[in-house]
Amino acid sequence: MTHHLRLMRPGDAAQVLAIYQAGLDTGDASFETQAPTWETFDSSKLPDHRHVATTDDGTLLGWIAVSPVSSRPVYAGVVEHSVYIHPASQGQGIGSALLKALITSTEAAGIWTIQSSIFPTNTASLALHHRHNFRTIGTRHRLAQHHGTWRDVTLLERRTPTIT
């Protein structure tokens, strides 16, 4: 399937949140169980690092975005990202294309570390990240409860080689 990448726009809100909710409904994407409102999503993500993959007719296939990990100036170059792919579009290289776009935009902005926390059972996401030079930092054991069960998360990070 052909897809195009572009920056996320406010008009994408409904599709972005629907894809987000579809990921949450799998039970393997996040501790969250409900997608936020667009206002909450929009206010928490850095505007220059939100990318979407679309079909020729503009249907969203997936998205990627980052949030700062801290408001402290010393951590200005460290972000946490989320990537969500529509269930019908998984396994088609869309996650890889979105990660490449994110890496390009964050490096151009002087961001030196992208991190993510992934459930160990989400093996497809772990493999995707490892293919893009994310390294496993470790496992955060029993970090929080999800549907009443304590869950571990694997912490990964990608340090850019272009910023020393």
Side-chain angles (χ1 to χ4, degrees):
M1 172 186 293
T2 303
H3 64 270
H4 309 280
L5 299 181
R6 65 168 170 77
L7 289 175
M8 188 182 292
R9 302 186 274 235
D12 298 325
Q15 290 186 80
V16 165
L17 296 178
I19 291 169
Y20 197 174
Q21 188 62 53
L24 297 178
D25 289 347
T26 69
D28 220 17
S30 173
F31 284 106
E32 301 297 330
T33 57
Q34 289 294 130
T37 64
W38 178 251
E39 293 75 20
T40 299
F41 180 95
D42 187 48
S43 68
S44 67
K45 308 295 183 202
L46 297 177
D48 296 334
H49 310 292
R50 304 176 193 185
H51 305 276
V52 295
T54 68
T55 61
D56 289 336
D57 70 2
T59 302
L60 261 62
L61 304 171
W63 60 268
I64 195 165
V66 299
S67 300
V69 298
S70 175
S71 61
R72 294 173 56 195
V74 296
Y75 294 113
V78 183
V79 295
E80 181 171 19
H81 88 288
S82 298
V83 57
Y84 284 80
I85 310 302
H86 188 284
S89 301
Q90 293 176 357
Q92 300 176 24
I94 294 163
S96 186
L98 287 166
L99 263 176
K100 286 178 188 175
L102 179 70
I103 290 165
T104 298
S105 72
T106 55
E107 285 183 349
I111 292 171
W112 58 83
T113 301
I114 304 169
Q115 68 182 36
S116 188
S117 295
I118 301 172
F119 289 138
T121 52
N122 193 342
T123 56
S125 186
L126 290 169
L128 169 68
H129 286 82
H130 287 142
R131 284 193 303 273
H132 288 275
N133 299 316
F134 280 75
R135 67 184 180 103
T136 298
I137 301 301
T139 300
R140 300 179 78 186
H141 297 281
R142 298 172 47 91
L143 183 63
Q145 288 191 25
H146 183 249
H147 297 294
T149 301
W150 287 99
R151 302 271 315 255
D152 298 345
V153 296
T154 302
L155 178 63
L156 295 101
E157 74 173 15
R158 183 187 186 280
R159 299 268 314 188
T160 180
T162 62
I163 300 171
T164 57

